[in-house]
Amino acid sequence: MTEQARGAARLWSWLLAPRDIAALVAFRVALGALITVSSVRFLAYGWVDVLFTGPRYHFTYWGFGWVRALPAPWMQALFAGLAVLGVLLSAGLFYRATTVLLFVAFSYVQLVDVSNYLNHYYLVSLLLGLLVFVPAHRAFSLDAWRRPVLRSDTLPAWCTYLLRFQVTVVYVFAGLAKLTSDWLVHAQPLNIWLSARTSLLLVGPFLDERWVAYTAAWAGFLFDTTIVAFLLSRRLRPFAYVVVVGFHAATSVLFPIGMFPFIMVTAALVFFDASWPRRIAARVRAWRRGTVAPVSVPALPVPVQPVTRLAWAGLAVAVVYGVLQVAMPLRTHLYGGNVLWHEQGMRFSWRVMAREKNGSATFVVTSPSTGREWHVPPSDYLTRLQEREMSVQPDLILQLARHIARDFEARGLGPVEVRADVRVSLNGRAAQLLVDPDVDLARVEDGLAAKPWILPAPETPPVKLRPTWRAQVH
């Protein structure tokens, strides 16, 4: 056997080694439950109407302009369907169809309006896409009960590695995004956010002190950049998971970030030993019997899996997927400058809670043929939530400017020019112009190329808020 053949054999031995299916079953159940709870929340709080069917205009992703929101009854039915599909995923019923439908429907919801983008829902879409290929329904599922031929106590190790890789990408790039002077040297935007939470019980009076913001900033940076290493350590994993739960519980209390903490706590389960649910169940049974005998998990069968051309093709697809997942967060470096300002490459890069931006925008429409000029507020077209997101994101500013131009031209006013006066504050800095107010955005095409009409980011450091106790001393 050649050295190349031996290397391939070792690779496939590592990828195809049988692992207990129990851990991924627990992950499947938890993820399905989260999807159901999240979908029910959207319906119960009226967010389907506010975010999807209420707005008169929707921002679209580049290349996905054909995606449109469904009429109100159908959009609500879609979220009800997502809730049902979440239950089916947890139960492991019609697993293949369920995962495909969940991936398509959940991704569609994210594509309807760019202003609704959230990192954690993007993560859920990716995890659902991966579960399409991970047969986590072969045990402890209604599918396995209905069709005993599906039953298996093991899955190949690559199933776990793939999910671990995805969660690792999130944490690592979320940590690297905090490797900035704003975050580590100036403790911004945490100083801003924490100072706004002083009404919290017990901890509130401490949240406007500078040292608290610095402690939280460095703790967040160190947590994101190191937690995966601790989760991969068998000896340290239980303690690391306690830190995961505590960290995300704290962020849930301090910041209004919805389901994100619950999703990340669930995602971290993929780092646990494959048999952890069986061991917990065995200990519970032993406790009920009143015994203290050491708990052991029975040895699992070792199936022989041949390496086929399809397997090699699957490996190639997985490698391409992995490269894309790493490249997406790195693509912003192709644009240069401060991504928190120009936003090019910001989405899909796991820059979680990395900036605080506030902006105001006014669009100036000019008719060259008549010389008439109109000052158009974004509220004429957008909801309050959409306006808040648009006013700090240049590509959304461009989309609205082009939409305004089409709207005015549809009124019979002929070709018009649209310019934008947009002033934005980044991490507490004084507001300054975000886009060139002299550029006619109605004639600018959107795309992946750098946008020269975005003005340079501010070079001054962010404003440091003073704690109230220090103000009283002076």
Side-chain angles (χ1 to χ4, degrees), residues 162-184:
L162 193 58
L163 293 169
R164 284 181 178 180
F165 166 78
Q166 185 61 75
V167 179
T168 297
V169 166
V170 176
Y171 274 120
V172 170
F173 280 105
L176 293 178
K178 296 176 176 62
L179 193 58
T180 64
S181 61
D182 274 20
W183 187 274
L184 297 178

Side-chain angles (χ1 to χ4, degrees), residues 170-320:
V170 176
Y171 274 120
V172 170
F173 280 105
L176 293 178
K178 296 176 176 62
L179 193 58
T180 64
S181 61
D182 274 20
W183 187 274
L184 297 178
V185 178
H186 303 289
Q188 293 287 27
L190 276 178
N191 188 202
I192 296 172
W193 296 336
L194 293 176
S195 296
R197 304 290 287 170
T198 55
S199 61
L200 288 176
L201 186 66
L202 299 179
V203 299
F206 300 97
L207 296 182
D208 61 356
E209 296 190 15
R210 186 85 55 78
W211 69 268
V212 175
Y214 276 99
T215 301
W218 278 90
F221 168 70
L222 294 173
F223 172 83
D224 285 340
T225 52
T226 64
I227 193 61
V228 168
F230 291 120
L231 287 170
L232 289 171
S233 168
R234 182 185 297 270
R235 184 168 57 87
L236 298 177
R237 187 178 297 138
F239 307 102
Y241 193 70
V242 171
V243 173
V244 168
V245 174
F247 178 85
H248 288 295
T251 57
S252 179
V253 171
L254 291 173
F255 311 114
I257 51 179
M259 297 294 292
F260 179 73
F262 302 96
I263 292 171
M264 295 310 297
V265 167
T266 297
L269 292 175
V270 301
F271 291 98
F272 273 79
D273 180 82
S275 296
W276 72 265
R278 295 185 196 271
R279 296 183 187 280
I280 291 178
R283 286 190 174 91
V284 170
R285 288 194 298 268
W287 174 75
R288 287 181 175 178
R289 292 194 302 264
T291 61
V292 292
V295 175
S296 62
V297 176
L300 298 171
V302 182
V304 177
Q305 300 188 42
V307 180
T308 63
R309 290 183 180 180
L310 183 61
W312 279 107
L315 177 60
V317 171
V319 169
V320 171

Side-chain angles (χ1 to χ4, degrees), residues 359-365 373-382 387 390-392 397 400-401 404 417-424 433-439 441:
S360 62
T362 299
F363 292 86
V364 181
V365 180
E373 183 176 281
W374 299 265
H375 288 249
V376 181
S379 56
D380 286 355
Y381 297 89
L382 307 178
E387 183 176 354
M390 178 279 304
S391 63
V392 299
I397 294 169
L400 184 59
I404 291 173
E417 299 174 352
V418 181
R419 294 172 175 82
D421 184 334
V422 184
R423 300 174 187 273
V424 172
L433 288 171
L434 175 62
V435 303
D436 189 339
D438 296 324
V439 172
L441 297 178

